[in-house]
């Protein structure tokens, strides 16, 4: 009878409970170490996408103003581009201090699927928006004056 049990035990090729527990513990440690790094990289890629989207929107306004220079008065203009988590981006031109003109036509003309562009990361937890204030000079040059939040403009440098 004991001979039969010994032979039967030798044929058993499965894992023991201790071996399985050790493997599960090692996997849990690896996941615990790698998960925070993964979330950092995901947030970093979202921030990079936001910066690239804003650059594309700024360039669209710049090209729009160059192409439509005959329609403008040849004065310096201030533009505010707003990118949010919930709505399509907006661009407003202020000539002087009173006249506000919506220039989202620039996005329609030069940015494919601009209505689907949204803020992907958490730049400003208070209101979930990023703004770029740019100046278009009378000769058509474009200069970014400021970003809100300020770290948006220096991200990736």
């Amino acid at each position: 009878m004991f001979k039969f049990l010994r032979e039967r035990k030798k044929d058993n090729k499965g894992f023991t409970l201790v071996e399985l527990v050790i493997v599960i513990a090692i996997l849990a440690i690896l996941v615990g170490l790698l998960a925070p790094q993964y979330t950092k990289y995901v947030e970093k890629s979202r921030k990079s996408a936001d910066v690239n989207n804003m650059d594309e929107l700024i360039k669209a306004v710049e090209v729009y103003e160059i192409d439509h220079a005959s329609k403008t008065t040849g004065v310096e203009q201030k533009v505010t581009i707003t990118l949010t988590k919930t709505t399509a981006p907006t661009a407003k031109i202020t000539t002087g201090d009173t006249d506000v003109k919506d220039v989202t036509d620039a996005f329609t003309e030069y940015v494919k699927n601009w209505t689907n562009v949204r803020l992907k990361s958490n730049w400003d937890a208070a209101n979930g928006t990023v703004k770029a204030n740019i100046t278009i000079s009378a000769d058509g040059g474009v200069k970014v004056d400021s970003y809100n939040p300020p770290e948006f403009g220096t991200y990736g440098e």
Side-chain angles (χ1 to χ4, degrees):
M1 169 98 176
F2 289 113
K3 186 177 180 182
F4 174 73
L5 288 176
R6 270 189 249 136
E7 287 177 12
R8 190 170 178 199
K9 206 173 196 183
K10 289 180 184 176
D11 292 339
N12 189 0
K13 295 183 181 179
F15 294 107
T16 65
L17 182 61
V18 173
E19 291 170 332
L20 290 174
V21 168
I22 290 172
V23 168
I24 291 171
I26 291 171
L27 289 174
I29 290 169
L30 289 174
V31 167
L33 292 174
L34 297 177
Q37 293 297 326
Y38 174 74
T39 56
K40 277 200 283 188
Y41 286 122
V42 168
E43 184 63 19
K44 188 175 179 180
S45 69
R46 287 179 180 163
K47 285 186 175 187
S48 294
D50 290 339
V51 170
N52 288 335
N53 285 339
M54 183 63 83
D55 285 344
E56 188 175 349
L57 296 173
I58 290 170
K59 288 175 186 170
V61 170
E62 179 179 8
V63 172
Y64 179 82
E65 287 301 311
I66 291 170
D67 287 350
H68 297 87
S70 62
K71 297 178 184 176
T72 61
T73 59
V75 298
E76 185 175 278
Q77 298 175 327
K78 302 285 186 183
V79 180
T80 300
I81 300 173
T82 305
L83 190 60
T84 67
K85 287 184 173 276
T86 57
T87 60
T90 59
K92 304 273 186 204
I93 289 183
T94 305
T95 306
D97 290 329
T98 56
D99 182 29
V100 176
K101 178 180 147 190
D102 187 12
V103 289
T104 51
D105 292 341
F107 302 155
T108 304
E109 205 167 321
Y110 300 107
V111 181
K112 185 178 182 181
N113 295 327
W114 72 274
T115 55
N116 297 328
V117 174
R118 300 287 187 275
L119 194 63
K120 294 176 177 36
S121 63
N122 297 319
W123 286 98
D124 185 10
N127 58 9
T129 63
V130 171
K131 293 184 180 184
N133 298 309
I134 61 177
T135 300
I136 302 169
S137 63
D139 62 355
V142 174
K143 178 183 141 234
V144 178
D145 295 328
S146 65
Y147 289 100
N148 184 14
E151 65 269 10
F152 187 86
T154 59
Y155 185 77
E157 291 180 358

